[in-house]
Amino acid sequence: MRALAHRMLAGRLPPRELAMRIHQRFGHQLPLAERLAELDDEYDIVEYGNKTLTQLDAEVTAEAQRLTCERPDQDRHS
């Protein structure tokens, strides 16, 4: 997950692709990946939701930054 986040931040993976891959791999079962799974769901309904693609991309980017800065022993345990 962190490797994919690094790829996205380096510009080698679009934000939408990061959210989709994480969602496909982990679903909504992994607390550390939950926000990205939720954002992937939001991309699916963007035309009906209250956020733009730009806003979703920014949220995915912020989440990727959090993942790459967080140490493994700091992972969320919700």
Side-chain angles (χ1 to χ4, degrees):
M1 182 168 34
R2 288 186 177 94
L4 287 173
H6 279 290
R7 285 185 64 203
M8 194 227 79
L9 293 171
R12 297 192 313 255
L13 190 70
R16 172 68 169 112
E17 180 81 10
L18 172 64
M20 182 188 68
R21 286 188 186 192
I22 296 300
H23 192 192
Q24 287 176 340
R25 174 98 165 116
F26 300 104
H28 291 270
Q29 304 304 311
L30 183 64
L32 185 62
E34 176 61 20
R35 184 63 188 137
L36 287 171
E38 291 170 353
L39 289 166
D40 183 47
D41 289 337
E42 289 186 42
Y43 276 112
D44 292 339
I45 61 162
V46 71
E47 61 271 9
Y48 308 109
N50 58 359
K51 293 182 185 173
T52 66
L53 286 175
T54 301
Q55 289 170 317
L56 290 173
D57 288 350
E59 286 191 49
V60 170
T61 299
E63 189 65 12
Q65 290 170 334
R66 184 191 66 78
L67 287 172
T68 60
C69 292
E70 196 171 78
R71 292 190 337 245
D73 61 340
Q74 292 176 320
D75 290 350
R76 293 185 214 169
H77 298 286
S78 307

